[in-house]
Structure formats: C-alpha cells, structure tokens
C-alpha cells in the first residue's frame, strides 16, 4: 500500500528536511513516528527538500507499508509521536503510479519579510527581517524580469544537485500588507536556495543597490558569484505542491491552516 501525507512544520528546530546522521531533521522524526505506527521501518520520499530553518504549510510525502491501518492512524496516531513543531494534516491512499516528487508539476513558496528598524522578537525565525524601508514598486518591476523559463544559475547554490538550471517561474507576486512584504512564487521546480536568492536580489533592488537592468544582467550572466548573498531562511514557507487531478490530492495548504498569515 502506498500512502501520501500532507505535512506542516516549523523548521526552526531542525537541520532541514533531508535525513542526517545526527537524526535532527523533519524526515528523521517522521520516519520514526511512521515506523512505530506501521510496526516496520518506514522511509518517506518528499516533494522537495527544505533547508534548515525553512518551514512548510504543505509538504507532501509518500511511503510504502504492509500495515493495514485506518487513515486516521496515519494522522492522529503519527502526530501523537511527532514533536509539536511537526504535524500530519491529511493522509490518503494513492496508487503505485504516484510519486511525491516526480508526479508533481509545480511547487509554491511564500516568503514573509518584515521591514522595521528593530528586529522582531515574537516572530523571530518565522519572518525575514530588514532594518530599512524598501521600494516595493521597484521590486515588482524587477520581478517581471524573472518570470518565464530561464537558466537560473545565478540564483543556484553551489552545492545544488539539480541536473538542469532551467526552471519555469510561473508566479512572482509581491504584496505589502500588515507591515509585511509577502513574496508568492510558483515554478515547475526550484533550485537549491533559488527562492532565498531571488528574495535577496529583490531586496537589493528595493534598497537601491540594483535596478531592473542589473537584474537582467545578473540573470544573463548565469554566475552565482555575481549575485547578492543568499537571504535568511526564516520567512520561507513551502505552501503548495501541484499534482495531476487524477491523484485527488490538495494542491495547497487548507485555508484554515493559513489563518495566522492570511
């Protein structure tokens, strides 16, 4: 039997998604909890890896099991064994043709950036922070340059293992509300650190260190060394994974789970 799960987690306490020898990753904690419920070792496969400090409102994984359990056991039972900062939100049986990573045709991320002279305390680790106002109109203009299919090598971490730097960025919206700047991004897939590098570049535009022509030149250069530094992970959330309709899976976080952030 193949089971798909939707997860949310606060990434502050973990060294990212991917399993590590020290065991302090979201995947390690989830595999351990699932193995207890299944009564045999379980290994999960995810739609995408998130870095240390990055959060998820909709991560999708799948795993194989011989155990016959009610779907509720894969939600409430597993949650009883997980740290409080990780939760299974839904579970669904899927066919053998489903793969959490390879069946996905899109991923969506959201980044929250607080611009304020004083660093945040209550939302520390949950929003990015910059100490000065930013020109959001200039950032929106520069964002248009990045839409479409491009070689995103200038926005790719040196340790990125993707076979190709070509990605199709379908959405890059920037909204300012409630004292936060929100970036909404959707692409067929993202390179390692791609979202954080895009946000960092647009921040440079917002503070006047880059203009639209500079972003165009950076994209054309295909050279990570020419780009601004990778921005902090704190405000980054995986918010949705798109799958073909035949699988019948949610494509984004349930609205009631988004109440905190709108």
């Amino acid at each position: 039997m193949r089971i798909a799960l939707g997860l949310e987690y606060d990434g502050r306490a973990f060294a990212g998604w991917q399993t590590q020898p020290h065991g302090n990753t979201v995947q390690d904690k989830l595999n351990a909890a699932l193995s207890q419920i299944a009564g045999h070792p379980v290994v999960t496969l995810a739609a995408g890896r998130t870095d240390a400090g990055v959060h998820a409102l909709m991560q999708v994984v799948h795993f194989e099991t011989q155990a016959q359990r009610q779907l509720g056991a894969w939600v409430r039972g597993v949650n009883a064994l997980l740290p409080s900062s990780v939760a299974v939100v839904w579970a669904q049986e899927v066919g053998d043709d489903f793969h959490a990573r390879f069946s996905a045709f899109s991923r969506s991320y959201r980044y929250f950036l607080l611009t304020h002279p004083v660093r945040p305390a209550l939302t520390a680790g949950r929003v990015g922070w910059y100490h000065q106002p930013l020109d959001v109109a200039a950032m929106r203009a520069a964002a248009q340059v990045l839409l479409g299919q491009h070689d995103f090598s200038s926005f790719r971490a040196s340790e990125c293992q993707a076979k190709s730097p070509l990605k199709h960025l379908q959405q890059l919206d920037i909204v300012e509300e409630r004292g936060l700047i929100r970036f909404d991004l959707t692409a067929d897939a993202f390179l390692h650190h791609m979202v954080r590098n895009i946000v960092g570049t647009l921040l440079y535009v917002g503070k006047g260190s880059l203009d639209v022509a500079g972003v165009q030149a950076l994209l054309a250069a295909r050279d990570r060394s020419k780009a601004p530094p990778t921005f902090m992970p704190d405000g980054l959330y995986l918010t949705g994974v798109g799958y073909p309709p035949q699988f019948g899976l949610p494509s984004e976080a349930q609205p009631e789970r988004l109440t905190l952030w709108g």
Side-chain angles (χ1 to χ4, degrees), residues 5 7 29-38 63 69-83 86-89 91:
L5 304 177
L7 305 175
K29 303 301 183 185
L30 179 62
N31 287 354
L34 287 169
S35 297
Q36 288 192 59
I37 296 297
F63 65 94
R69 302 284 186 269
Q70 296 292 325
L71 287 177
W74 302 120
V75 179
R76 292 181 293 275
V78 172
N79 283 343
L81 300 170
L82 285 171
V86 184
V88 178
V89 179

Side-chain angles (χ1 to χ4, degrees), residues 157-200:
S158 59
E159 64 270 28
C160 181
Q161 298 177 357
K163 293 181 180 179
S164 171
L166 289 175
K167 301 300 172 189
H168 184 192
L169 186 61
Q170 302 154 10
Q171 177 192 21
L172 178 43
D173 295 335
I174 304 173
V175 178
E176 190 172 19
E177 60 183 7
R178 291 188 292 178
L180 292 171
I181 300 174
R182 190 186 80 220
F183 302 79
D184 286 315
L185 303 92
T186 299
D188 52 354
F190 287 89
L191 302 168
H192 191 192
H193 286 174
M194 180 173 159
V195 176
R196 291 166 59 191
N197 289 334
I198 287 175
V199 171

Side-chain angles (χ1 to χ4, degrees), residues 237-252:
Y237 297 75
L238 175 60
T239 57
V241 185
Y243 293 102
Q246 66 262 28
F247 295 119
L249 298 180
S251 61
E252 58 186 14

Side-chain angles (χ1 to χ4, degrees), residues 123-144:
T123 56
R126 301 177 69 190
V127 299
W129 171 62
Y130 188 67
H131 63 282
Q132 293 179 341
L134 296 171
D135 186 340
V136 175
M139 295 163 73
R140 289 193 186 111
Q144 296 302 305

Side-chain angles (χ1 to χ4, degrees), residues 2 10 16-17 33 36 40 47 55 63 85 109 129 216 223 249:
R2 183 168 292 189
D10 182 333
W17 161 262
Q36 288 192 59
H40 64 78
H55 317 292
F63 65 94
S85 51
Y109 283 88
W129 171 62
Q216 289 174 323
D223 184 347
L249 298 180

